[in-house]
Amino acid sequence: MNYKKWKIGFSVSIIFGLLTAGAGLAAGMTWQAFVAVLCTSLVTQLAAYLMKHPVEDISDDPPPFRPPLWIFAALVLPIALTACKTPRLEPGGAYAPTNSVGQVVYSDTGLMLSDASYKLAYETVGAVFKFERDNRIAIWKLSPVVKSELDNLRPQVVDIDRRWAMARKTYRSNPTPAGLTAVQSILSEIQRIIPVVQQQMNPIYSKLTTTQ
Amino acid sequence: MPPIILAIIPFIEAAIKFAPDATKIYEDARNLFAMWFHGGLITIEQQDRLRDWADNHETATLSGITPPEFTVEANPD
């Protein structure tokens, strides 16, 4: 069993132990009794788990790369957003301008969502590039592959960004559904780059876990 | 100092340097979630701020401005 699976099982055992004691607390147990039940249930759960999966069974394979939370958010966000209702734009904002009598001239929720998602994706990719650049010498010593792999991706992102800017400018001058689709299509390209960029940091993570 | 401490010092420094970027992304993600999950109303201020970023970024990109982290640079010696 690898470390990650073992750790998940271990955590689940602790949760079960806490739930058992928590059930007693909810039923009106005194705090002394709660501590006693908590200790007993934790010992029981953990002992049962460790007897079945002893520490010696953990393999030495490094655990898989765990992406930071912000990358996870950037990946999950587009999926989460599609499942939610369309947001409303407050009249008078840049995406819902009003005329002199306060009537909304147009409301462009599509462009607003596209811009928000693009900003997040672009800054996420840029943060990884910047991290590598700011710490280049240290990362280079650990794994020269990281820079070369990111260097392969940098021109791709610059190209995507240039096409996004052109498509967005075209759409703003002539807002049509086809124009918005073109912007969204380019947005999906940069979103696909996010996991690829993040994957290039795997050698760093592996080296760190091996040295520790 | 123990070797393990010496080994992780560069990464602590890296994490400190990275903190402002991560904070910015976290703020963006949080704002996006807030837009969708807290009544779904995008305020004028949120719209204007996002539009400013998008318009400025579009203009900069079309002018050929590329941030240094997006350019391919020489390998360290």
Side-chain angles (χ1 to χ4, degrees):
Chain A
M1 180 185 279
N2 69 30
Y3 174 68
K4 188 184 176 189
K5 284 183 180 172
W6 187 89
K7 199 168 67 173
I8 291 170
F10 191 81
S11 306
V12 169
S13 301
I14 292 175
I15 290 168
F16 281 176
L18 292 172
L19 286 175
T20 309
L25 192 67
M29 197 181 273
T30 62
W31 71 267
Q32 291 97 332
F34 167 71
V35 172
V37 173
L38 177 66
C39 294
T40 310
S41 61
L42 281 177
V43 166
T44 310
Q45 292 288 343
L46 292 179
Y49 184 76
L50 289 172
M51 280 175 69
K52 196 170 180 182
H53 304 288
V55 178
E56 291 79 10
D57 284 356
I58 303 171
S59 70
D60 290 332
D61 296 335
F65 178 71
R66 284 166 292 180
L69 187 60
W70 51 269
I71 289 181
F72 176 74
L75 293 175
V76 168
L77 207 59
I79 301 165
L81 295 187
T82 55
C84 303
K85 67 174 185 178
T86 307
R88 290 171 295 117
L89 300 174
E90 185 179 0
Y95 295 94
T98 51
N99 59 19
S100 56
V101 291
Q103 292 172 320
V104 176
V105 180
Y106 66 86
S107 180
D108 201 341
T109 311
L111 182 62
M112 188 280 297
L113 288 175
S114 172
D115 284 351
S117 301
Y118 189 84
K119 181 174 188 278
L120 184 60
Y122 181 83
E123 288 183 346
T124 303
V125 172
V128 178
F129 287 161
K130 189 169 182 296
F131 180 81
E132 186 276 328
R133 186 173 187 268
D134 288 347
N135 304 284
R136 182 158 291 162
I137 293 174
I139 292 175
W140 179 266
K141 282 178 186 166
L142 277 177
S143 173
V145 177
V146 175
K147 181 182 182 297
S148 62
E149 293 292 336
L150 290 182
D151 280 352
N152 290 335
L153 293 167
R154 283 182 165 107
Q156 290 182 42
V157 177
V158 170
D159 178 58
I160 290 171
D161 194 40
R162 188 185 49 79
R163 288 188 288 113
W164 170 83
M166 286 166 61
R168 187 176 182 275
K169 189 179 181 186
T170 306
Y171 173 75
R172 285 195 302 111
S173 60
N174 181 26
T176 60
L180 183 60
T181 304
V183 177
Q184 289 168 335
S185 166
I186 297 167
L187 164 67
S188 70
E189 287 183 42
I190 198 166
Q191 286 173 332
R192 281 199 296 270
I193 294 269
I194 294 172
V196 182
V197 168
Q198 163 252 307
Q199 198 177 19
Q200 306 314 318
M201 301 306 282
N202 279 0
I204 300 299
Y205 183 77
S206 301
K207 291 263 175 159
L208 280 175
T209 50
T210 335
T211 50
Q212 285 168 9
Chain B
M1 200 178 287
I4 184 68
I5 301 294
L6 291 173
I8 63 171
I9 280 175
F11 293 94
I12 294 171
E13 288 173 353
I16 291 168
K17 278 192 229 168
F18 183 65
D21 298 312
T23 306
K24 195 167 62 175
I25 292 164
Y26 169 75
E27 290 287 331
D28 284 346
R30 196 185 61 176
N31 286 340
L32 258 179
F33 275 114
M35 284 179 193
W36 288 86
F37 295 108
H38 290 273
L41 180 70
I42 318 301
T43 64
I44 292 173
E45 189 200 346
Q46 286 174 319
Q47 292 179 50
D48 292 351
R49 203 168 49 229
L50 177 62
R51 185 68 180 241
D52 279 349
W53 180 89
D55 287 351
N56 290 338
H57 186 68
E58 181 194 297
T59 307
T61 301
L62 291 176
S63 307
I65 297 170
T66 307
E69 62 266 27
F70 285 80
T71 56
V72 177
E73 294 171 322
N75 293 335
D77 292 330

